[in-house]
Amino acid sequence: MSHLSLVSSGEPTAPRGTATSVRVEAPGKVNLFLSCGASGPDGYHELTTVFQAVRLIETVTARRQSADRSGQITLSLDEPDESVPLDERNLAYRAAALLAEHTGSRAGVDLVLRKRVPVAGGMAGGSADAAATLLACNQLWGSGLKLDELMQLARQLGADCPFPLLGGTAVGSGRGDELSPLMTRGSYHWVFALAHAGLSTPAVFARLDEMRAEQATASFAHPLATQAAPMPEELGAALRMRDTVALAACLHNDLEEAALSLRPELVDVIALAEEAGALRAIVSGSGPTIAALVPDPMTGMRVSRALEASPLVAGTVRADAPVAGSRVVG
Ligand code: C5P
């Protein structure tokens, strides 16, 4: 499946519309591969990563405001969740504000989020909300920005924000936000083990730096010399050949060591998933969600049941991948 045509398309993503609301769906992601280099002067690390969009779908509804309230950005959830901020700390709020600033729109918007990606779980749920909001407001306000322009705005919001616009499978370089779509065949089945509490992404990157500095001191090496490795050939080949066993052998995440050092109990969650039939289980992104690749949906149910019986696991979700990027659904 290639999404290249989507990225290079010069067509506006939305006609100038008069709809009173626009509903957009955007997927969460799992990193099949993540190699982390040293951090630059901006504090960001050079990455090579392979994103795969999973069928855990965030939905953002953008509603036109009545004239007396126009100009504000408001945010609410369709199901209450105290762990999700509803002000400018929320990436969806920031996405609407950035698009308004960029286009000069003063229309305002009421945003309603329906969340299905685990919060603070290393699966880019907040980034999916930001991507969906850009697309929804672009249509609601008739801004007429093209997809590549929305992707540039998304990069300003966070390194994981452009990918949900693209979906499918893609290699990310730079901060992880310079994307090249990857041709893949077939569908892959995942079980995600959720943790009782989230992990902070900056804290995981900082822990990786600390661990590398300790290792470098012990071996008289220079920690800043670390470079992100290129995507392994075998990973691309496995995805082209729909070879799940080969894909399992290629899964890799440099952030795993750091996430496990902050949450040692995740080692047991990984072992549990693999004992129950997963081909491999790894930390998803910066964690703490554990992503278990399973050979088929039946095995997925068995792995889910085994994980849910463990007090270390707050719950599980199953999803196939890859799926398409953000799209207007209503
Ligand atoms: O871009 P985003 O806001 O999602 O990144 C969150 C944090 O993750 C950054 O502030 C940084 O600490 C870390 N990060 C990094 N290198 C990257 C991406 C993220 O150090 N390439």
Side-chain angles (χ1 to χ4, degrees):
M1 171 172 44
S2 170
H3 289 251
L4 201 53
S5 55
L6 256 180
V7 189
S8 58
S9 161
E11 292 301 309
T13 53
R16 231 161 249 281
T18 52
T20 53
S21 79
V22 177
R23 199 166 80 247
V24 172
E25 291 183 351
K29 59 86 184 166
V30 60
N31 299 79
L32 304 179
F33 178 80
L34 193 156
S35 175
C36 183
S39 62
D42 59 359
Y44 274 81
H45 294 72
E46 182 217 353
L47 297 185
T48 306
T49 188
V50 178
F51 295 108
Q52 188 175 64
V54 301
R55 200 182 301 282
L56 293 177
I57 306 293
E58 300 281 285
T59 308
V60 173
T61 306
R63 296 202 176 112
R64 195 177 294 285
Q65 289 177 334
S66 54
D68 56 323
R69 288 178 48 245
S70 88
Q72 298 170 38
I73 296 167
T74 74
L75 195 55
S76 60
L77 298 174
D78 77 335
E79 289 167 16
D81 183 341
E82 280 172 12
S83 62
V84 180
L86 296 174
D87 52 21
E88 58 286 341
R89 287 170 297 168
N90 191 299
L91 273 173
Y93 184 103
R94 298 221 289 267
L98 180 65
L99 185 68
E101 186 196 318
H102 184 78
T103 59
S105 170
R106 290 157 175 264
V109 64
D110 294 328
L111 298 167
V112 184
L113 310 187
R114 178 174 184 261
K115 298 200 59 72
R116 290 295 177 267
V117 177
V119 175
M123 297 190 68
S127 302
D129 297 341
T133 300
L134 287 175
L135 198 55
C137 291
N138 187 48
Q139 172 124 339
L140 188 76
W141 296 339
S143 308
L145 264 57
K146 300 178 185 96
L147 187 65
D148 52 355
E149 294 174 288
L150 293 180
M151 287 183 71
Q152 289 307 324
L153 287 180
R155 291 176 71 182
Q156 295 178 38
L157 294 163
D160 282 347
C161 292
F163 177 69
L165 284 167
L166 187 62
T169 306
V171 184
S173 53
R175 292 172 162 196
D177 56 356
E178 293 164 26
L179 299 176
S180 311
L182 202 59
M183 209 280 285
T184 76
R185 288 195 185 88
S187 237
Y188 300 87
H189 303 282
W190 294 93
V191 178
F192 297 101
L194 316 187
H196 290 286
L199 259 180
S200 140
T201 302
V204 176
F205 275 100
R207 181 69 193 124
L208 178 67
D209 287 344
E210 252 172 51
M211 293 172 84
R212 283 181 169 175
E214 285 161 18
Q215 284 155 11
T217 308
S219 63
F220 303 102
H222 201 299
L224 295 179
T226 324
Q227 286 192 325
M231 180 188 88
E233 281 289 316
E234 298 78 13
L235 176 54
L239 290 167
R240 284 193 302 277
M241 307 286 286
R242 63 175 92 184
D243 186 338
T244 315
V245 173
L247 174 62
C250 296
L251 296 176
H252 174 79
N253 183 1
D254 268 0
L255 294 175
E256 178 161 285
E257 207 188 346
L260 295 181
S261 126
L262 294 170
R263 290 284 171 80
E265 70 273 17
L266 293 178
V267 174
D268 295 336
V269 178
I270 289 174
L272 197 54
E274 292 180 350
E275 277 157 24
L279 297 166
R280 271 291 289 293
I282 61 166
V283 169
S284 173
S286 57
T289 303
I290 297 298
L293 181 63
V294 293
D296 51 69
M298 282 295 279
T299 310
M301 284 167 70
R302 206 166 65 234
V303 171
S304 266
R305 273 200 301 275
L307 288 167
E308 289 199 354
S310 164
L312 300 175
V313 175
T316 63
V317 283
R318 293 191 298 275
D320 64 310
V323 295
S326 309
R327 61 203 176 99
V328 176
V329 292

